[in-house]
Amino acid sequence: MKISVLYGSTRDYGNTEQLTERVFDGIDVNKIYLNQYFFKDIIDQRHDPEGFDEVDDDYDDIISSIIDSDILVFATPLYWYGMTGVMKRFIDRFSQTARDEKFPDFKERLKEMQVYVIIVGGDSPRKKALPCVQQFGYICDFFGMEFKDALIGEARKPGTIQKDAMALANADNWNRHFKNL
Amino acid sequence: MKISVLYGSTRDYGNTEQLTERVFDGIDVNKIYLNQYFFKDIIDQRHDPEGFDEVDDDYDDIISSIIDSDILVFATPLYWYGMTGVMKRFIDRFSQTARDEKFPDFKERLKEMQVYVIIVGGDSPRKKALPCVQQFGYICDFFGMEFKDALIGEARKPGTIQKDAMALANADNWNRHFKNL
Amino acid sequence: MKISVLYGSTRDYGNTEQLTERVFDGIDVNKIYLNQYFFKDIIDQRHDPEGFDEVDDDYDDIISSIIDSDILVFATPLYWYGMTGVMKRFIDRFSQTARDEKFPDFKERLKEMQVYVIIVGGDSPRKKALPCVQQFGYICDFFGMEFKDALIGEARKPGTIQKDAMALANADNWNRHFKNL
Amino acid sequence: MKISVLYGSTRDYGNTEQLTERVFDGIDVNKIYLNQYFFKDIIDQRHDPEGFDEVDDDYDDIISSIIDSDILVFATPLYWYGMTGVMKRFIDRFSQTARDEKFPDFKERLKEMQVYVIIVGGDSPRKKALPCVQQFGYICDFFGMEFKDALIGEARKPGTIQKDAMALANADNWNRHFKNL
């Protein structure tokens, strides 16, 4: 059972990371801090006769690290009512990977994965993060990934996720769930 | 602390009710089974010079029963990706109550209330119940009610909510939360 | 080409109806004013051994009237950020019809239909009607109906839809579209 | 009347741009092709005692170019059911600009602006672009910008937006609307 956690934050040990750490307390997971990698915007060349140009950056390393996962966790602060730009840039590249000979089984592998989403926002996220959750749902539908659940926390200032008792309690539920897998 | 639970189901002790019972286990709540009351569709007379006609049904009894609540809980199975028609008919009448001399403090009272939503659906509710949650969010925004949280369970056949371990665990969290209020 | 328009309003010739009339100006359509029919709430008996009880009301007349349609149009004012209770009560009954021997081809017929949605609301409907549009989208997905488009208008007081120039212009586009079918 | 169009595409003259060009045919607008600028991810330093570090890139040029607009148009292809990563990276930076002494009236200026959104997607965008529209709605709510409308087109292969007759007709409506401002 391999669990990969993709962090979209741009701050170290922010509220999203704290909540996610609690979810995976005592569980061995493959953590990817997306902001520590250099990877470029996709250039949409899906319709170019020659297809996508090779891109020289760290992106393939991330894919190699997660492609044998059973579970993908997208952990992102809510920036402007969506996932962070860093995480979106990463996901945008999937369009290229799905056509990349270096990862011939990319789509086949994703189809086997379960997806969990963790979002922390400061402005009524239990209402206003829902479009972001829906977006992840559609992404899962596209690849045939099983969207399992979303955990939403509310916090603005650093560390204040520790005051969202319901989010913490639900995180503990997730922890028990993942420990029992 | 008065908690009123509005049930939208049309079946006795269905999955939604079972999940909700677990949430309020050991807690004294005011239960309203909407389908046990007779109340009519709203006739939109907001713009009639004379306003709304008096309506002769059980609706006012429900309002009288909940108007002094601190917390409103909307517990509904997901019918066609929304609250049940019974619950929607009830909420539609709010437009009349907001202008009803018999309940002069209706809007003022709602503004003081917290709202929780419990939804159980059979078709990917953790994705497909989100528009319904958003709808409740907008209703809360309108009245200035505080939308607190939504609890989503997945079940189709009677009793199968008992197999949604995550929903049950989150229900237990809600139970602890309400016991500590 | 048979087009059936299902009206969810509770007022005569309200804004939704005015916008819809403009859409179908000069086009022969089968109009169903749902509030002029008597039909009951669904009782969810999907899981009863004997299935659903026969219901004595006008509901079947509506189904008989629309079942040979090529296009279904749901025209509803936005009540509390959703379709009206009247329309929801109607749609809730689909669960029974899908199992009703009197309409053995109900699901097969729906699968052939295209769906259009017309919504008029008073409170920022171009934002706040979107959960309702999504709900119709999910309903279409369930039955395999093709969700074609939604037309959203903004109006509060009677007749003020005539001031929503963009909605009117888009209604004229729909009119041309339907005339060319 | 100054209209600024922010393009989120990563392809030249793609479907989104074609649709947007049609909207603004014969109208003088300030076009910003975001992918032609170099600007970095935000580093969330909202809570650092010293605030945000100065960032050396082209971002401020974009803000300077749009800050005196009356109307902002966000024109983006739907990438993975959201705005493109490029556009998201741009918007994420607003958190810094809102605290940037170089743009002391940023929030005040945004509050005066109207916002239009143009989205073209290949996978049922009239359903699946709605979370993205909702996201823009929340962004507008935050700043007090007036969210005016969204135009959604469906196209996958280059140029096929020209076959979405309804999107084109609605684009023409928008064109008339903007010409009459």
Side-chain angles (χ1 to χ4, degrees), chain B residues 11 158, chain C residues 44-53 99 101:
Chain B
R11 255 195 310 134
Chain C
D44 179 8
Q45 300 175 308
R46 283 176 300 161
H47 309 292
D48 283 17
E50 323 77 38
F52 283 93
D53 291 332
R99 293 161 178 79
E101 294 178 355

Side-chain angles (χ1 to χ4, degrees), chain D residues 157-175:
Chain D
K157 293 194 179 168
T160 51
I161 189 64
Q162 304 300 339
K163 293 181 180 167
D164 184 344
M166 190 61 85
L168 300 181
N170 289 344
D172 292 342
N173 283 343
W174 282 36
N175 181 263

Side-chain angles (χ1 to χ4, degrees), chain B residues 76-93:
Chain B
T76 181
L78 195 69
Y79 281 9
W80 297 108
Y81 313 102
M83 67 182 83
T84 63
V86 179
M87 183 172 276
K88 188 57 173 39
R89 181 167 71 247
F90 173 70
I91 289 178
D92 281 1
R93 290 284 291 278

Side-chain angles (χ1 to χ4, degrees), chain C residues 116 126-128 130-131 133-134 136-138 140-141 145 147-150 166 168-171 173-174 176-177, chain D residues 116 126-128 130-131 133-134 136-138 140-141 145 147-150 166 168-171 173-174 176-177:
Chain C
Y116 292 79
R126 285 174 173 90
K127 292 186 286 191
K128 298 188 181 178
L130 299 185
V133 177
Q134 293 175 310
F136 278 110
Y138 286 140
C140 289
D141 290 348
M145 297 187 282
F147 175 88
K148 291 293 285 183
D149 210 352
M166 190 61 85
L168 299 180
N170 289 345
N173 284 342
W174 282 37
R176 277 185 290 273
H177 167 73
Chain D
Y116 292 80
R126 285 173 173 90
K127 292 186 288 190
K128 298 187 181 178
L130 299 186
V133 177
Q134 292 177 304
F136 278 109
Y138 286 139
C140 289
D141 290 347
M145 297 188 281
F147 175 87
K148 291 293 285 182
D149 210 352
M166 190 61 85
L168 300 181
N170 289 344
N173 283 343
W174 282 36
R176 276 185 290 273
H177 166 74

Side-chain angles (χ1 to χ4, degrees), chain D:
Chain D
M1 173 70 61
K2 178 172 174 180
I3 300 173
S4 288
V5 179
L6 293 153
Y7 280 110
S9 303
T10 66
R11 251 192 317 131
D12 283 350
Y13 207 57
N15 288 303
T16 305
E17 186 173 347
Q18 289 181 35
L19 185 62
T20 306
E21 288 283 303
R22 184 157 177 152
V23 166
F24 294 107
D25 182 50
I27 299 171
D28 189 39
V29 299
N30 174 38
K31 296 180 196 175
I32 308 280
Y33 296 91
L34 291 170
N35 72 330
Q36 296 180 356
Y37 292 80
F38 167 71
F39 55 94
K40 301 177 186 172
D41 293 320
I42 194 166
I43 309 292
D44 179 8
Q45 299 175 309
R46 284 175 300 160
H47 309 291
D48 284 18
E50 323 79 37
F52 284 93
D53 291 333
E54 191 71 18
V55 182
D56 182 27
D57 60 11
D58 303 338
Y59 172 82
D60 284 356
D61 295 344
I62 307 175
I63 296 298
S64 297
S65 170
I66 67 171
I67 199 163
D68 60 342
S69 306
D70 302 289
I71 291 174
L72 276 191
V73 180
F74 293 93
T76 181
L78 195 69
Y79 281 10
W80 298 108
Y81 313 102
M83 68 181 83
T84 64
V86 179
M87 182 171 278
K88 187 58 172 39
R89 182 168 69 247
F90 173 69
I91 289 178
D92 280 1
R93 290 284 291 278
F94 284 10
S95 301
Q96 178 159 2
T97 315
R99 293 160 177 79
D100 190 337
E101 294 178 355
K102 294 195 304 296
F103 299 102
D105 60 345
F106 178 67
K107 293 207 288 188
E108 210 51 52
R109 283 298 306 121
L110 286 189
K111 199 182 297 188
E112 305 294 318
M113 296 187 198
Q114 296 183 333
V115 169
Y116 292 80
V117 174
I118 299 172
I119 300 172
V120 178
D123 179 17
S124 302
R126 285 173 173 90
K127 292 186 288 190
K128 298 187 181 178
L130 299 186
C132 182
V133 177
Q134 292 177 304
Q135 181 182 5
F136 278 109
Y138 286 139
I139 294 169
C140 289
D141 290 347
F142 181 89
F143 284 111
M145 297 188 281
E146 188 183 2
F147 175 87
K148 291 293 285 182
D149 210 352
L151 173 62
I152 297 174
E154 179 160 2
R156 200 178 296 257
K157 293 194 179 168
T160 51
I161 189 64
Q162 304 300 339
K163 293 181 180 167
D164 184 344
M166 190 61 85
L168 300 181
N170 289 344
D172 292 342
N173 283 343
W174 282 36
N175 181 263
R176 276 185 290 273
H177 166 74
F178 286 115
K179 280 189 170 154
N180 285 333
L181 286 183

